[in-house]
Amino acid sequence: MKYLDEYRDPVLARRLLEQIRHTVRQPWTVMEVCGGQTHTIVRQGIDELLPAGLRMIHGPGCPVCVTPLELIDKAIDIAGRDRVVFTSYGDMLRVPGSHTDLLTVRAHGGDVRVLYSPLDAVDIAAERPDRDVVFFAVGFETTAPANAMAVLRAHQLGLTNFFMLVSHVLVPPAMMAILDAPDCQVQAFLAAGHVCAVMGWTQYEPIAARYGVPIVVTGFEPLDLLEGVLMAVRQLQDGRAEVENQYVRAVRRSGNTAAQDAIRRVFRTGDRAWRGIGTIAGSGLMLADEFAAFDAERRFRITDPAAREHPACIAGDILRGTAVPTACSAYARQCTPRSPLGAPMVSTEGTCAAFYTAGRAPVPAGERQPR
């Protein structure tokens, strides 16, 4: 396929791996912060092909996975109410809450629908003024522009029955929280190309300067990731800490300014809880005061539920990059994509799902060490 096959060329991949081997002269640890990148790395076995001493850590790059359990429970509460049409992207339906999930709510008669665009939810609200229509707005900066456009469209139409349950998170504050952690092992980052296609990379420049870590904006295909790793390692070996762009075919330094304008118009930044990580200051998007009438939490006035994670699930350690799925006692036993205990096994971008799909075997109990 044009513009895709070129980035999966095995000959070029071997050349890049050889360059990486010749460049690495001491142990280094690199983290990718994108679920799509994680799946490519694990599916293609890139992490197992890298030279000894060069380790990939899989960070909190799955927006479904970091959506806090409390908000999942709120979504389940809203979706089960009369005269509510609850809409969402498909991954969210199977994410476990404290007691059940949205798919079960639908099986029990709740009007829960999978949509491909938040603008479809606006259309439903316009067609069904007798129903409250809620869209579960989950994601990083990548999906924020479309959700902002949906709010602006609903505002333009004067709809009073369209609402958003917002769980948008921002990547740069999460990277700083990881770097500030006392057990941080990250020495360089691969930044998500699609996030930077929207936001550009100027927000990463102060992080690279402050923490002395290289950051490479990287694409999603095998050659993208191998080149991104090579660029990061070259910086580490040279003692540099800069933001470089590997994903030149899609990303500009300034990003998509029209998309950024829509985000700034509709949302404001605030503190946001990340599942398994905790609250990170300034890491979330909330509806701005002008659009507060579209806030589902305000409309339905749900008190914060007493959320409870499954005791066998180590999703928090997985999302922080301090453990790998195969080190979990429940992985591929109690927890599989058909019967997930935690969000990283549900989402198509989750690290646990990536390992399971790639056939990575559980580590015996006596040998469980993070890789």
Side-chain angles (χ1 to χ4, degrees):
M1 182 181 294
K2 186 67 174 172
Y3 306 123
L4 198 59
D5 291 344
E6 297 95 326
Y7 299 95
R8 298 177 179 179
D9 187 314
V11 175
L12 293 178
R14 283 191 287 270
R15 289 177 185 170
L16 285 167
L17 281 166
E18 192 62 28
Q19 289 182 62
I20 292 170
R21 291 191 188 98
H22 284 303
T23 303
V24 173
R25 296 190 295 276
Q26 66 187 83
W28 299 113
T29 302
V30 179
M31 174 182 276
E32 84 277 0
V33 195
C34 170
Q37 292 176 342
T38 299
H39 270 256
T40 299
I41 289 168
V42 175
R43 183 176 64 249
Q44 303 292 339
I46 290 173
D47 54 334
E48 298 179 325
L49 294 171
L50 295 175
L54 178 55
R55 182 162 66 104
M56 296 299 302
I57 295 181
H58 314 300
C62 165
V64 172
C65 304
V66 301
T67 301
L69 183 60
E70 294 81 1
L71 205 63
I72 301 294
D73 287 343
K74 288 181 180 181
I76 291 166
D77 182 313
I78 295 170
R81 298 192 182 198
D82 292 336
R83 306 177 69 80
V84 168
V85 179
F86 193 90
T87 64
S88 172
Y89 296 127
D91 274 1
M92 297 306 301
L93 268 64
R94 296 182 60 246
V95 177
S98 295
H99 306 288
T100 186
D101 55 35
L102 287 167
L103 196 62
T104 302
V105 173
R106 186 167 74 173
H108 290 167
D111 193 349
V112 179
R113 308 184 191 183
V114 175
L115 300 182
Y116 293 100
S117 168
L119 289 167
D120 292 340
V122 176
D123 291 340
I124 294 170
E127 294 165 3
R128 294 300 304 271
D130 58 325
R131 294 287 189 270
D132 285 340
V133 179
V134 181
F135 183 77
F136 202 176
V138 171
F140 291 110
E141 296 93 330
T142 321
T143 56
N147 291 334
M149 292 304 298
V151 171
L152 291 171
R153 178 61 175 160
H155 180 70
Q156 181 186 44
L157 294 174
L159 297 179
T160 58
N161 65 325
F162 173 78
F163 306 96
M164 274 196 174
L165 184 62
V166 179
S167 185
H168 271 300
V169 288
L170 305 173
V171 174
M175 292 169 65
M176 289 189 287
I178 290 167
L179 292 167
D180 285 331
D183 58 350
C184 175
Q185 303 172 42
V186 179
Q187 295 166 295
F189 284 102
L190 302 186
H194 52 3
V195 171
C196 295
V198 175
M199 304 302 295
W201 67 77
T202 57
Q203 297 177 48
Y204 297 95
E205 292 169 344
I207 299 174
R210 174 180 172 182
Y211 293 94
V213 294
I215 300 174
V216 180
V217 179
T218 308
F220 309 93
E221 294 301 320
L223 297 189
D224 290 324
L225 288 157
L226 287 169
E227 186 176 29
V229 169
L230 177 60
M231 293 167 71
V233 170
R234 280 175 173 166
Q235 284 201 52
L236 289 167
Q237 291 292 166
D238 293 345
R240 295 182 289 120
E242 304 166 2
V243 180
E244 290 186 301
N245 181 25
Q246 180 278 329
Y247 204 30
V248 292
R249 65 186 185 276
V251 177
R252 296 178 299 175
R253 182 173 180 271
S254 59
N256 184 327
T257 55
Q260 294 166 28
D261 289 344
I263 294 172
R264 282 191 289 267
R265 167 110 191 260
V266 172
F267 297 107
R268 60 177 176 83
T269 58
D271 300 345
R272 175 69 74 190
W274 292 54
R275 190 171 190 169
I277 297 176
T279 299
I280 301 176
S283 68
L285 294 177
M286 290 77 172
L287 288 170
D289 291 344
E290 180 184 355
F291 302 102
F294 297 106
D295 188 344
E297 292 192 71
R298 173 176 167 175
R299 163 66 178 85
F300 295 97
R301 301 187 181 278
I302 303 171
T303 56
D304 288 338
R308 294 181 299 172
E309 295 279 6
H310 193 286
C313 181
I314 63 167
D317 295 332
I318 301 295
L319 293 168
R320 289 192 300 272
T322 58
V324 292
T326 50
C328 176
S329 62
Y331 169 79
R333 298 179 179 93
Q334 293 169 269
C335 184
T336 69
R338 290 180 65 88
S339 57
L341 299 184
M345 186 61 88
V346 176
S347 172
T348 54
E349 294 191 354
T351 303
C352 297
F355 273 63
Y356 188 92
T357 303
R360 302 282 176 97
V363 176
E367 303 175 17
R368 287 179 191 144
Q369 296 291 331
R371 185 186 184 281

